[in-house]
Amino acid sequence: MNEKVAAARYAALSWKELGVARRVQLLRRFVEIFALRKEEFAQLTSKEMGMPIAESRADVQGALAYFSWYLDNAEKYLSPTVSLEGEGEVHTVYHEPYGVAAVIVPWNFPASNFVWGCGQNLIAGNTVVFKISEEVPLCGQMIEKMMQEAAVPAGVFHEVYGRGPVGALLSRQGVDLICFTGSTLTGASLYRSAAAGMHRVVMELGGSAPGIVCEDADLSVAIPSIYSARFDNAGQACDALKRLLVHESVWDPVVEMLVGRLEMVRLGDPLSEGTTMGPLVSKQQVDLLERQVADAVERGAIVIKGGKHPALPGAYYEPTLLSNITSDMRVWKEEVFGPVLPLVRFSTEEEAIALANDTEYGLGGYIYTRGMARAERMASRLETGMVSVNGVNYTRPMNPFGGYKHSGIGREHGAWGFADVTQTKVVARRK
Ligand code: NAD
């Protein structure tokens, strides 16, 4: 590891001095190679972490689109800007790289985790030492090989492999910037070690996004959106809709329609085209989910649907709906990283907002209503970095992605993503 960080340090100055246009040119070659091998990467994703193949393909396609957007827009966001001109003076603001970035990511979207963590860093001129999750090392290896094939200069991109302690060690190697995607617990420990060296961090952490179904919601729009926001990738997404708040007047149809939707799920082999939900990433994740559901049931929750292993070998869990939820339950207080949705009734907008914000997390939020004034009012009161109204997807390369409260520090994508991986310098001079 020492050698990789040293090589990244050695390459940092020449990578910075290459300039944005040349870096963009070199990295475009990487994106071209990735695009040629996208099916291979999608297959590897499904094999390593169990995502159904159609979703793996979408992950790779999305990641390529994000990288391309960063490349197409880099000059716009990274070029110097004149902040003051007149009276014989000109003041110019430059965006300069930090130097060496440690980028540590999880396993849930291998292509996107890599691109979101590393893309803007590399374009902005940081060299990267990348640690992918121990759950998907072969995806990591393929990324490393494609970087070599693209002839990205030596030292600019390296990978280290292993479990948590490898990431902890990497964060203590005197890197200049730590970009972490993963759980809030791990993020907090990395934040402490960054503080010792006054290092900059970007943290994309856990979430427990609320979904609010108002009495005037169009359920034909809301139900497919709720399903996808909670159950895609077997519920293993940071900003998945993890707690559903339902107005009492539409409780019965919402429950009935969700049960109907879950009956259409086809659990099975992630490589088989007909599968709509694969296994969880590991047996440990299933064990954790079982403990969270058992805790809820002991405290009085009702299992509306699912709640157990299906009769399939592997780390599968049935898509599950729970009701009779109270705020002392683990499924309410903790992040639930699997296909389990707790449902809670509310009667007033006030109550819905209070329930939605009753969490340490603040990543995403989902509102379903026909009233746009109400949607705006509720969105402004949600303590989250991102809000979706009636299923419109906020995840776009030009939008800031990130959370309030314990869901993170900083943002990825767009102008904000470039800003968070660079430092600004103002140069003031006479004309
Ligand atoms: P995790 O925190 O256990 O691991 C993430 C990465 O950090 C892995 O590479 C792991 O090896 C490494 N790691 C573990 N312990 C470490 C330590 N002490 N020091 C340094 N590195 C360490 O998270 P996970 O279970 O792999 O991923 C799921 C979590 O990631 C969920 O909480 C999810 O919400 C979050 N996530 C957040 C976003 C986002 O953008 N906000 C995106 C995807 C996932």
Side-chain angles (χ1 to χ4, degrees):
M1 169 164 341
N2 289 343
E3 301 86 73
K4 290 185 177 177
V5 176
R9 170 79 53 215
Y10 188 75
L13 185 60
S14 52
W15 187 237
K16 173 188 170 189
E17 291 189 341
L18 209 55
V20 180
R22 185 78 185 106
R23 289 196 295 269
V24 163
Q25 204 179 17
L26 279 166
L27 291 164
R28 269 200 205 285
R29 179 79 197 117
F30 169 81
V31 173
E32 283 162 15
I33 291 170
F34 201 170
L36 288 174
R37 298 180 64 183
K38 62 184 180 185
E39 180 60 22
E40 193 185 334
F41 197 92
Q43 299 268 341
L44 204 50
T45 298
S46 294
K47 285 180 195 157
E48 280 204 303
M49 54 72 66
M51 195 189 285
I53 187 66
E55 291 182 42
S56 298
R57 288 184 186 125
D59 179 41
V60 181
Q61 202 57 48
L64 287 166
Y66 274 68
F67 214 142
S68 298
W69 188 92
Y70 302 156
L71 293 167
D72 294 343
N73 290 278
E75 296 229 41
K76 175 172 162 194
Y77 294 115
L78 293 170
S79 297
T81 49
V82 172
S83 55
L84 174 66
E85 188 165 13
E87 300 187 5
E89 293 181 1
V90 57
H91 298 226
T92 310
V93 179
Y94 295 86
H95 304 277
E96 298 200 330
Y98 278 94
V100 181
V103 180
I104 303 172
V105 303
W107 44 265
N108 56 342
F109 295 95
S112 296
N113 293 151
F114 154 69
V115 168
W116 293 21
C118 298
Q120 287 181 301
N121 258 304
L122 289 167
I123 296 169
N126 293 313
T127 56
V128 167
V129 183
F130 178 56
K131 191 190 111 43
I132 202 163
S133 165
E134 58 274 25
E135 301 287 358
V136 287
L138 299 180
C139 287
Q141 238 173 33
M142 191 167 157
I143 291 167
E144 201 172 16
K145 281 195 191 129
M146 291 190 291
M147 280 284 181
Q148 285 159 4
E149 263 179 65
V152 170
V156 169
F157 180 85
H158 278 297
E159 283 196 45
V160 292
Y161 296 91
R163 294 180 184 278
V166 174
L169 193 62
L170 172 59
S171 73
R172 295 195 297 266
Q173 299 291 307
V175 294
D176 305 295
L177 166 70
I178 297 173
C179 296
F180 174 72
T181 306
S183 64
T184 297
L185 193 67
T186 309
S189 89
L190 283 169
Y191 197 17
R192 282 191 291 272
S193 68
M198 289 301 253
H199 297 310
R200 177 73 184 233
V201 297
V202 178
M203 298 266 160
E204 297 293 350
L205 308 176
S208 186
I212 305 174
V213 186
C214 299
E215 68 268 35
D216 63 348
D218 179 345
L219 297 188
S220 69
V221 170
I223 300 300
S225 162
I226 293 165
Y227 173 79
S228 157
R230 168 68 285 196
F231 295 99
D232 281 357
N233 200 16
Q236 303 166 112
C238 51
D239 64 333
L241 190 167
K242 292 176 184 145
R243 298 171 298 134
L244 188 66
L245 315 174
V246 183
H247 190 270
E248 57 191 3
S249 66
V250 287
W251 175 269
D252 289 342
V254 165
V255 169
E256 192 185 320
M257 287 169 85
L258 277 175
V259 168
R261 182 63 190 81
L262 295 199
E263 270 159 12
M264 291 158 63
V265 171
R266 286 162 67 185
L267 285 163
D269 177 356
L271 286 169
S272 146
E273 300 285 346
T275 295
T276 59
M277 190 179 290
L280 302 197
V281 69
S282 64
K283 180 72 174 51
Q284 290 96 295
Q285 287 290 343
V286 177
D287 293 345
L288 171 59
L289 204 57
E290 285 193 318
R291 289 198 299 276
Q292 289 171 318
V293 172
D295 166 81
V297 171
E298 271 162 34
R299 292 170 196 272
I302 295 168
V303 178
I304 303 175
K305 177 143 187 71
K308 55 184 187 323
H309 277 295
L312 279 171
Y316 288 89
Y317 197 81
E318 283 185 354
T320 297
L321 300 175
L322 301 174
S323 69
N324 229 27
I325 302 300
T326 49
S327 61
D328 58 340
M329 293 176 183
R330 291 182 66 180
V331 291
W332 182 263
K333 293 188 294 190
E334 298 176 2
E335 179 176 40
V336 177
F337 221 57
V340 173
L341 182 59
L343 280 76
V344 174
R345 282 171 216 255
F346 69 87
S347 51
T348 66
E349 192 177 311
E350 240 3 76
E351 196 190 345
I353 295 291
L355 286 164
N357 289 336
D358 179 27
T359 167
E360 68 181 61
Y361 296 109
L363 198 53
Y366 300 81
I367 297 170
Y368 302 95
T369 173
R370 284 191 173 92
M372 285 309 109
R374 166 185 275 178
E376 273 185 36
R377 187 171 64 235
M378 292 178 95
S380 78
R381 297 181 66 195
L382 284 184
E383 297 163 354
T384 63
M386 302 170 292
V387 178
S388 159
V389 177
N390 294 332
V392 177
N393 187 357
Y394 48 67
T395 314
R396 299 290 159 89
M398 59 294 287
N399 285 349
F401 189 98
Y404 284 16
K405 303 197 296 198
H406 289 199
S407 287
I409 298 169
R411 295 291 182 271
E412 287 173 336
H413 318 320
W416 304 269
F418 282 120
D420 282 354
V421 295
T422 50
Q423 43 198 346
T424 47
K425 176 186 282 176
V426 61
V427 177
R429 62 173 174 83
R430 297 216 186 284
K431 272 187 173 169

